Amino acid sequence: GTQKASCRRAQRRRKEITASRTELSLCGMETFANEARVAGKQVYDVALEKRATNVQSILTKDFTFASPNEAAKAFQQVESEKDLSVNTFLTNLMDVVREELAASVADLEKLDLWLRLNTPTISDGNHFGVEVQAEVRARIVSAKNGQKAALESLHDYHWQRGQALEKLKKETTEESANDKVTTTGGKEDGQTVAKESSRTSSKSSTPLADYIAYRVGIDAKYYIQLQSTMVELLHDTVCVYDVMQKNMEKVLHPHGRDSDRGRGMY
């Protein structure tokens, strides 16, 4: 009897420990969820407006060429046919665009998670608010995916430009030779004198004008592409804010405020 009582006490203790661990785990997950909700709301309240302002400033200050032809003329003036260096003006712009895209993608992911955490329990009826919430989230995800694709495509510039520069690169080869020369006459008659010599020869030709124009054209094309990416980023930011503002009641309370009591929704 004593042994059975001891076993029962041990079983109760194990159950208590398991329940305590489960409670701690659920508490930790709820803390994470609440922090994610706060982060998402912070993006909506502050970050979206800040990004729109910043992107608009960059478009005004850094993108000074009005057309591809204007950009091409400017690049043509600073790039000689022998210049194989990078276009620092363009690479600096690319760094700015990359940073803005990466930050925007991170913010949209926070918004997306916020909406997912506000998805109500599945139930029968009253699904209109849930459908509105899903549509808002779909627009956020679409903007996020488009920005990810733009971010991943930036490195293509260096590959395409490198292909053009390869055609302009001067070909140089080095040759070396070891010569043995036998002299006759005088004190060195019959002696073999070893001589080492090295020669450098260059093979070069005037690059085709089309290759030069192609390099400039790539720079002009990517300048316009970067500008277009920033304009699209601005539009995405404004549209995401607008659709959330217009539907915030359904976003936060898809089944109505009464059904959300006690859920701790933000």
Side-chain angles (χ1 to χ4, degrees):
T2 303
Q3 185 175 3
K4 289 183 179 179
S6 178
C7 287
R8 286 194 294 270
R9 285 196 297 272
Q11 288 175 352
R12 284 197 300 270
R13 180 58 181 162
R14 284 196 294 270
K15 289 180 180 179
E16 290 172 358
I17 293 173
T18 301
S20 177
R21 288 176 177 174
T22 301
E23 184 178 349
L24 286 173
S25 177
L26 291 174
C27 181
M29 291 302 294
E30 186 60 29
T31 298
F32 173 80
N34 286 336
E35 289 175 351
R37 292 187 184 103
V38 170
K41 191 172 187 302
Q42 182 75 5
V43 170
Y44 172 75
D45 289 341
V46 179
L48 290 178
E49 182 179 356
K50 184 177 179 180
R51 169 141 302 101
T53 301
N54 194 42
V55 171
Q56 183 64 62
S57 175
I58 291 170
L59 283 168
T60 303
K61 181 182 67 175
D62 296 336
F63 289 88
T64 55
F65 304 129
S67 68
N69 286 338
E70 187 177 336
K73 289 178 181 178
F75 296 148
Q76 180 72 61
Q77 291 174 358
V78 298
E79 296 179 2
S80 67
E81 66 181 45
K82 295 181 180 180
D83 182 12
L84 302 182
S85 61
V86 298
N87 184 327
T88 55
F89 173 81
L90 205 56
T91 54
N92 288 339
L93 272 184
M94 195 170 295
D95 289 341
V96 171
V97 173
R98 184 182 289 110
E99 288 297 317
E100 289 297 325
L101 283 172
S104 180
V105 168
D107 282 346
L108 292 179
E109 286 176 344
K110 292 175 184 177
L111 281 180
D112 182 28
L113 180 56
W114 181 30
L115 266 65
R116 288 160 65 187
L117 290 172
N118 281 343
T119 301
T121 303
I122 298 174
S123 61
D124 294 331
N126 194 19
H127 289 306
F128 177 70
V130 179
E131 292 172 358
V132 171
Q133 188 186 64
E135 176 61 26
V136 172
R137 182 172 170 250
R139 297 192 188 187
I140 293 173
V141 171
S142 176
K144 178 182 67 174
N145 290 341
Q147 291 172 22
K148 278 186 175 181
L151 187 60
E152 292 170 359
S153 70
L154 291 180
H155 68 277
D156 292 340
Y157 163 73
H158 294 289
W159 171 257
Q160 291 190 24
R161 195 171 192 272
Q163 295 295 305
L165 292 180
E166 184 68 25
K167 301 298 184 181
L168 303 177
K169 187 174 65 175
K170 184 178 180 181
E171 296 182 4
T172 302
T173 59
E174 292 188 358
E175 299 177 357
S176 60
N178 295 323
D179 300 326
K180 289 185 177 181
V181 180
T182 302
T183 63
T184 57
K187 295 181 179 180
E188 297 182 352
D189 186 20
Q191 292 182 351
T192 299
V193 180
K195 294 183 179 180
E196 293 186 0
S197 62
S198 63
R199 296 181 296 273
T200 301
S201 63
S202 298
K203 299 178 181 178
S204 62
S205 59
T206 302
L208 295 176
D210 281 340
Y211 284 136
I212 300 173
Y214 179 60
R215 178 189 61 180
V216 173
I218 288 175
D219 286 349
K221 178 185 108 172
Y222 272 90
Y223 171 84
I224 296 301
Q225 182 173 317
L226 291 174
Q227 187 180 44
S228 177
T229 298
M230 290 298 279
V231 170
E232 190 64 27
L233 176 56
L234 177 60
H235 292 173
D236 281 347
T237 304
V238 173
C239 288
V240 165
Y241 180 85
D242 182 67
V243 74
M244 290 192 67
Q245 183 186 47
K246 290 175 178 176
N247 299 281
M248 186 56 69
E249 184 66 22
K250 294 298 183 183
V251 166
L252 295 182
H253 314 286
H255 280 169
R257 289 181 179 271
D258 291 340
S259 65
D260 294 334
R261 290 176 180 173
R263 293 181 56 194
M265 298 182 73
Y266 287 75

